[in-house]
Amino acid sequence: STIPRDAVNIKLDNVQHLGQNILAMRRQGRDPKYLFKDDVSGAYRLLPIHPFFQMRQIITVNGRRRVDRCNNFGSRAAGYLFCVFMSLVLWIAENEWGIEGLLAYVDDGFGAEEDGELELYRPYNIMFPRRQTRLLLLWAWLGIPHELRKQLFGRALLIIGLIINLDDFSISIADESRRAHALAIRAFLTSRSQPLFM
């Protein structure tokens, strides 16, 4: 509560940025073969907090108080801090490791790959698109944890809640999300005793 809201404003990459990258590839005669998405495990908690700030992160569980020494999801600055960290990781990926076109939405790294050849990521013994494999190698080198089940790729992929499809170059909302939104709107409208507009 002591951190002003305007001090922790962040701009996240989104599906529009991915679309722009895909269109740029196509204009250069490079046709994207795969979409990929990688997810960091335990995202916010990877970052330690300065000891002077730790005293503001006292957590009470079952009457016992503990100092939380890591970036806490409930902190106003938590998302900002992690996104600054991920921005640095993306900078390293592009400028030091030569991985182009990577985007990030909080703890998800994502992008498109025009090379149809897959590369082995030895820790999982699984083949992934080249850029995805390189990103996972970078994460492993930096000590950023990740789990196999959250590292995905394909011609169509759910990224930030939207289905991106390279076969028909479409973006759509998943059926279950569409139904959930419709049910929430219906529940809101039926719970009101007065009309929304007069």
Side-chain angles (χ1 to χ4, degrees), residues 2 28 31 43 53 58 81 98 132 158 181-183 185-186 188 193 198:
T2 60
Q28 296 166 1
D31 200 26
F53 192 75
I58 306 299
L81 292 172
Q132 184 174 22
L158 184 69
H181 281 91
L183 289 172
I185 291 168
R186 191 172 296 134
F188 171 76
S193 59
M198 308 223 23

